[in-house]
Amino acid sequence: MDIGTRSSHRRRERDRTNAVLHALLQLGAGPHKSRAIAARTTMDEDEVRRRLLQLHAAQLCDRPRYGFWELRPTAAALTSAPGLVQPSATPLLDVGLLLDDLHSRTQQVVLLHSYSPVTGERLCLAAAGAYDVPFRRELALTPGAVDRLRQAPLDSDAPGLAILANLAGQDIPLREDLRQIRSAQVALTESPMPGWILVSVPVRRLPGAPAVPGAEPRVVAAVSILAPDGAQGNPLVAYGRLMRNVVRAAIGTSVVIAQPRFAAAQFA
C-alpha cells in the first residue's frame, strides 16, 4: 500500500469514527442503544460498536451498561481555554477540529466568536493554540486583554466587524469600512494585545451544525487568526484566503438535516 492509499484509508477510518461521534452528539445526553446510534449512520451495528470501543478508549464516551453508550460531558468542550472562552452549551467538537486544523497550518492562535443579539457583543466560544507559551506570556503581560478577547462590542475589532458587516441585508447601506469587509469577506484590525493583529472571516454555519437544505444561512460567527504583527507577506490575503477555504470545506462536509425545527442555533 503506497503513501497516498494509506493516507486515504486513514482519512476514511477517521471520518467513519467521527460519524459515530456525530450520532452521539445528535442523540444528546443519556445512554443510547448501539442500534439507535447506528440508525443515524450509514454503518451496520457491528461496525458502530467497534468504533464506539475506539471512542471509549479515547475517553470520549462511556458504556454505563451492556449495549448502551453515552457521550462524556467533556467531549463537547474540547476547545476550552482558561479565561479566554465563554461557557456555552453549544456542542463544539467539529468547531474544535476546524480550529485545530487552522492552528496546525498557521502555528497561530485561532479563535471562534459568536455574538449576542441581546447585548450586541461578540463572544469567544472556542480557541486553538491558546496554550502556546509565547501567547500565554504576552497575554499575561497585557492586563485586561483576556477579557476583551473573550467578550467585546461587535464594532471593537475584526471578529465583531466580520459579523457586523454580514448581519445587515444586502440592500441596507453600510458605512465604508463595513462595506469593504462585506465585499472582501475578511477583516483585519489590531487586537487587544499590543503588537498582535486579528484577521477574521464570517461563518454562516458552524461545522457539524444542522441546516435546512436551500435555506439562506445568516452569519452566526467569525473565525479569527490572532498573530504577531509583522508576519511576512500580506496576512489579510494569505490568512483570509486560507480561513475561507478551510471553513468552506469543513461546512461542506458536515451533515445537513432536513427538519426546519433543527435549523436555528441559539448562542449566549
Side-chain angles (χ1 to χ4, degrees), residues 210-234:
V212 179
E216 180 65 27
R218 296 179 68 246
V219 64
V220 297
V223 170
S224 305
I225 288 175
L226 175 61
D229 199 1
Q232 292 184 350
N234 186 337

Side-chain angles (χ1 to χ4, degrees), residues 48-59:
V48 167
R49 277 197 293 265
R50 178 167 63 85
R51 297 186 184 279
L52 284 166
L53 287 171
Q54 294 173 354
L55 294 173
H56 184 261
Q59 300 183 352

Side-chain angles (χ1 to χ4, degrees), residues 123-169:
L123 309 169
C124 184
L125 298 186
Y131 289 101
D132 290 356
V133 173
F135 169 72
R136 300 302 292 184
R137 182 175 61 246
E138 292 294 328
L139 198 62
L141 293 173
T142 311
V146 67
D147 295 328
R148 295 195 297 276
L149 283 170
R150 182 180 65 249
Q151 183 174 351
L154 280 174
D155 60 357
S156 297
D157 49 29
L161 292 171
I163 295 171
L164 191 60
N166 289 274
L167 282 176

